[in-house]
Amino acid sequence: MYSRTTSLNFLKTTKGTVEKYVYKPWITRRSFHSSILSRAKQPFLLADIGEGIREVEIIQWFVQPGSVVEEFDRICEVQSDKAAVEITSRYAGMISKLHYQLNGVATVGAPLVDIETADEYVDGQNTPVAENVKVPESIPNTKPVETPLVENRSRDPGVLSLATPAVRRLLFENNLEVTEIKGTGKNQRVLKEDIIRFLTEKKDTTDLRRPIAVELISPSQPVLSVDPNNQGTPLTDTQKVMFLAMTHSLAIPQLGYKDEVDLTLTNTYRQALNKSISDHPGRHPFTKISHLPILLKSLSLALTQFPIMNASITTSDQGRLNQVVYKTSHNIGLAMDTPQGLKVPNIKDVQDKNLFEIASELHRLVSLGKKNELSASDLTGATITLSNSGTFGGTYANPMVFPSELAIVALGKIQTLPRLENGKIVAKQVMPISWAADHRLIDGATMARFSNQWKHWVENPAIFTSMLK
């Protein structure tokens, strides 16, 4: 009888000879049995990760050919147009092949890796399992096909796994170890800013693989290094995500609608809210409230009357409409300028939150965005999006609808402008708005009615407040 063992090598005497066997954790050693183990090569397919995502980018491999994995061990990390997600194994066995190189684009339903498993038995052999499995004396340490993350650099997987994808990429691009950097994040986690500070203080930069001038200036004004030979510069992770999302968006016929909103009364209402906040310091994580919580809550009220604007559509492979999915949660996305580029987190269940709760959640998302710590949950599940591009200037814009939504609105710069009221010219606080909607389902009349209802509540905060529960 053979018992389980954790020893890498064991000896067995057969007819006076000594044979050496190597333990493999995916081979189950049972009592004397008349079957032999036949290892099967099992393709591990990339499962659907939701949000209608069909393609993802491989941004990190945790395994290589020859690696031994158990169920739920990490295989790789992928980046979609929404967030970075870690993929775990459904099988126990040995990795025999990686189907993609680092930064390759994987398709949902296609194999990621091949895993040799021990799920099949061949009956009829009166031999112990260990006697019939021919295995190498050591697990090969073969590198995956041109995968830089498995170079002979002494990265600590435990420490590196705490780093965000952007941090890991900067470490790799600049040939750095995570242990070289003094982290200033929670539990001494290394942040992107820590690496940038380390590089700027480092005198000898000749070993840098690529300059990172894009991050040394303010995030809103990135400066890319220019190759004197006019050669191309690889896209960043954020640029790749935006490229994929907007490419898919181009397949949607977009309906545009533009208007302006009078924020004069809303501004007075906001000032009263801010006075209440200043009178009760420490009650909220923020010191003042912007127009955004009011705009978000009033938008949610309008969605209640126009549920089609909070829906999504599913299509067949031929592009035909299958069904309309009406969503009860108002998860409003916010296009946000972060040090890493454009991110679109969303505030969940706006319909159930009051203005201060919305402002608190907005404060949380902005803080996490600055530190590149937005979670996958923060970045997925949006049902409609708002872009506050007016903070950088400009009036009207042409926003693009995300493939999983039906509408997006861009807010222009708030300006004091002359307007005619009761036969007199008066000063008004005016904000331009620019809508884009999926014209396959949203017609111009619906878009105009919805926008007018939202505008009515924003311009009349007394009526808007009376609608709050």
Side-chain angles (χ1 to χ4, degrees):
M1 178 182 296
Y2 297 98
S3 61
R4 292 177 180 265
T5 176
T6 57
S7 172
L8 286 179
N9 301 282
F10 63 92
L11 300 176
K12 176 181 179 298
T13 302
T14 304
K15 296 180 181 181
T17 62
V18 177
E19 299 179 9
K20 188 176 182 181
Y21 295 88
V22 179
Y23 170 71
K24 284 196 173 183
W26 65 90
I27 299 177
T28 304
R29 307 193 185 286
R30 302 182 177 180
S31 58
F32 194 86
H33 195 272
S34 61
S35 301
I36 65 171
L37 192 64
S38 175
R39 285 180 285 148
K41 183 177 292 185
Q42 179 70 47
F44 176 73
L45 308 182
L46 176 61
D48 186 358
I49 58 178
E51 297 289 321
I53 295 169
R54 304 305 304 166
E55 293 181 335
V56 295
E57 179 191 359
I58 308 292
I59 60 175
Q60 182 175 6
W61 283 109
F62 297 114
V63 297
Q64 55 181 312
S67 297
V68 176
V69 295
E70 300 290 342
E71 289 186 62
F72 307 113
D73 281 356
R74 296 183 302 171
I75 296 293
C76 65
E77 185 173 17
V78 301
Q79 175 82 50
S80 70
D81 59 353
K82 294 290 185 179
V85 179
E86 288 187 354
I87 305 298
T88 57
S89 177
R90 293 192 292 273
Y91 312 107
M94 184 181 75
I95 304 296
S96 62
K97 180 181 179 181
L98 304 183
H99 284 271
Y100 297 95
Q101 298 180 10
L102 188 68
N103 299 325
V105 178
T107 304
V108 171
L112 274 177
V113 298
D114 288 343
I115 303 178
E116 291 186 4
T117 62
D119 295 335
E120 296 182 359
Y121 289 87
V122 180
D123 293 329
Q125 302 292 333
N126 296 322
T127 318
V129 171
E131 288 192 77
N132 290 274
V133 180
K134 295 182 179 181
V135 294
E137 295 196 2
S138 63
I139 296 174
N141 190 27
T142 309
K143 295 181 181 179
V145 182
E146 298 182 15
T147 304
L149 284 180
V150 292
E151 293 177 336
N152 293 325
R153 287 191 276 176
S154 57
R155 297 193 183 279
D156 183 344
V159 177
L160 193 57
S161 63
L162 297 176
T164 63
V167 168
R168 289 194 291 267
R169 177 170 291 274
L170 265 185
L171 289 170
F172 167 71
E173 289 177 347
N174 295 286
N175 199 25
L176 296 174
E177 301 289 343
V178 68
T179 53
E180 297 179 49
I181 315 298
K182 182 179 180 181
T184 60
K186 185 177 180 181
N187 297 324
Q188 287 75 52
R189 174 181 290 188
V190 174
L191 306 177
K192 201 167 185 180
E193 293 80 2
D194 299 328
I195 302 176
I196 295 171
R197 187 183 309 109
F198 177 84
L199 292 172
T200 55
E201 295 174 354
K202 189 175 181 181
K203 295 181 180 179
D204 183 10
T205 59
T206 57
D207 61 335
L208 299 183
R209 297 189 177 186
R210 285 205 303 266
I212 59 164
V214 62
E215 294 294 343
L216 298 180
I217 313 298
S218 65
S220 59
Q221 295 179 338
V223 178
L224 295 175
S225 59
V226 179
D227 192 300
N229 298 322
N230 295 323
Q231 295 182 358
T233 300
L235 296 178
T236 64
D237 287 341
T238 301
Q239 288 172 330
K240 290 177 182 177
V241 169
M242 187 164 59
F243 177 85
L244 289 174
M246 292 300 98
T247 299
H248 294 157
S249 180
L250 284 175
I252 301 173
Q254 313 255 341
L255 167 68
Y257 180 84
K258 295 175 173 60
D259 201 352
E260 62 180 37
V261 178
D262 181 1
L263 294 180
T264 305
L265 295 179
T266 306
N267 195 46
T268 303
Y269 175 59
R270 185 177 69 90
Q271 291 173 357
L273 292 175
N274 283 330
K275 185 178 186 306
S276 174
I277 295 172
S278 63
D279 290 342
H280 302 86
R283 177 178 293 182
H284 305 287
F286 47 87
T287 57
K288 63 179 181 179
I289 197 169
S290 67
H291 290 96
L292 276 179
I294 302 171
L295 296 172
L296 292 170
K297 187 61 182 181
S298 55
L299 182 62
S300 176
L301 289 177
L303 290 174
T304 302
Q305 293 197 1
F306 292 83
I308 188 66
M309 302 300 297
N310 198 54
S312 64
I313 61 177
T314 60
T315 58
S316 65
D317 293 337
Q318 291 75 32
R320 297 179 180 177
L321 175 64
N322 283 345
Q323 60 180 352
V324 180
V325 181
Y326 291 88
K327 301 175 182 178
T328 56
S329 294
H330 299 167
N331 301 338
I332 303 179
L334 296 163
M336 187 179 296
D337 182 48
T338 72
Q340 297 76 40
L342 175 66
K343 300 286 185 181
V344 191
N346 62 88
I347 298 179
K348 301 287 195 296
D349 299 312
V350 176
Q351 77 280 358
D352 297 330
K353 291 180 170 61
N354 61 39
L355 288 176
F356 293 119
E357 290 171 337
I358 294 171
S360 296
E361 184 66 2
L362 180 62
H363 176 79
R364 183 186 73 85
L365 293 176
V366 170
S367 299
L368 292 177
K370 291 179 179 178
K371 297 183 290 185
N372 194 30
E373 293 182 356
L374 291 166
S375 67
S377 175
D378 293 328
L379 293 165
T380 56
T383 57
I384 192 171
T385 296
L386 182 149
S387 173
N388 192 18
S389 56
T391 56
F392 304 104
T395 52
Y396 296 99
N398 292 310
M400 302 291 289
V401 181
F402 284 96
S404 58
E405 303 169 19
L406 290 184
I408 180 174
V409 62
L411 311 180
K413 180 181 179 180
I414 300 175
Q415 302 177 79
T416 302
L417 299 174
R419 291 293 184 267
L420 189 65
E421 184 178 83
N422 299 324
K424 297 180 180 181
I425 296 178
V426 295
K428 295 287 186 179
Q429 295 286 313
V430 177
M431 179 183 70
I433 59 173
S434 304
W435 281 98
D438 190 333
H439 208 355
R440 294 175 297 179
L441 201 61
I442 306 299
D443 56 58
T446 301
M447 182 72 261
R449 293 189 187 101
F450 171 71
S451 181
N452 287 338
Q453 183 62 76
W454 177 47
K455 173 181 175 179
H456 173 69
W457 279 325
V458 172
E459 292 181 339
N460 299 277
I463 301 176
F464 158 70
T465 305
S466 69
M467 299 295 295
L468 300 179
K469 296 181 180 180

